[in-house]
Amino acid sequence: WPEDSVEKRKSFEKYQAEYKAARRDLESYSRNMQIVEQQQRVHKITIKALDAVTPSTPVYTPHGRMFLQVDRNQLKERLEYQTDKVLEETHCEMHDEKEKSETDMRRLERNMQDVLNNVFKGRFQLFMEGSSPQAAG
């Protein structure tokens, strides 16, 4: 960095720290979305299995090291509610947060590139085309 660009360097480092935080958030949201999607699949498989058994078949749920007998219809209703409402809402919220992180990352990429262009007169290309998180994910 040239000596007369101390403020621009500090600005770049600030953008860089924000970018790293946004990238961590994006990865976290992606992992959490996968967990929610997996849980939705498990619930749908369980609901399908509950539909396949006769109403007189006892149904059990795990509680610690024990299994407790539960009403089949109540369990099915609870799983359907969790799948349709709770998990779907959680998935939508995480998707919105993921998109916000992606937008923040693109903004920070532009800001960092602008600082570099200003200091080094366009001799640096910080991000290659297609390397943004949007293109990768």
Side-chain angles (χ1 to χ4, degrees):
W1 289 84
E3 290 180 21
D4 61 342
S5 62
V6 173
E7 288 301 316
K8 290 186 184 351
R9 182 176 182 180
K10 286 180 183 178
S11 174
F12 181 82
E13 289 170 350
K14 180 182 138 238
Y15 290 144
Q16 196 173 32
E18 290 176 21
Y19 182 82
K20 287 178 184 178
R23 187 157 199 77
R24 274 193 309 273
D25 289 347
L26 178 66
E27 291 167 358
S28 174
Y29 294 133
S30 294
R31 280 191 306 273
N32 289 340
M33 284 176 62
Q34 289 174 345
I35 291 168
V36 168
E37 290 166 359
Q38 174 66 24
Q39 193 63 44
Q40 283 179 317
R41 285 191 294 273
V42 167
H43 282 191
K44 287 178 183 177
I45 290 169
T46 304
I47 291 168
K48 189 175 180 180
L50 287 172
D51 287 338
V53 298
T54 62
S56 62
T57 304
V59 178
Y60 299 89
T61 59
H63 291 276
R65 294 184 178 190
M66 312 182 288
F67 287 88
L68 301 177
Q69 187 171 1
V70 296
D71 180 65
R72 180 182 158 282
N73 291 329
Q74 286 178 345
L75 176 61
K76 183 179 171 190
E77 287 173 11
R78 188 177 79 221
L79 290 174
E80 287 173 343
Y81 173 78
Q82 287 176 344
T83 300
D84 294 341
K85 300 283 188 264
V86 177
L87 292 176
E88 190 59 38
E89 287 175 13
T90 303
H91 187 271
C92 289
E93 289 170 9
M94 284 186 217
H95 183 69
D96 292 345
E97 291 296 325
K98 181 181 173 190
E99 284 182 349
K100 182 182 174 293
S101 289
E102 289 171 344
T103 302
D104 288 346
M105 286 178 64
R106 285 191 298 273
R107 177 186 54 82
L108 291 164
E109 286 174 0
R110 283 190 308 272
N111 291 348
M112 287 188 290
Q113 188 64 55
D114 289 346
V115 169
L116 288 177
N117 287 343
N118 193 315
V119 173
F120 295 104
K121 310 298 185 240
R123 291 179 292 195
F124 267 100
Q125 177 73 27
L126 186 60
F127 295 96
M128 303 302 288
E129 290 299 317
S131 68
S132 70
Q134 186 70 18

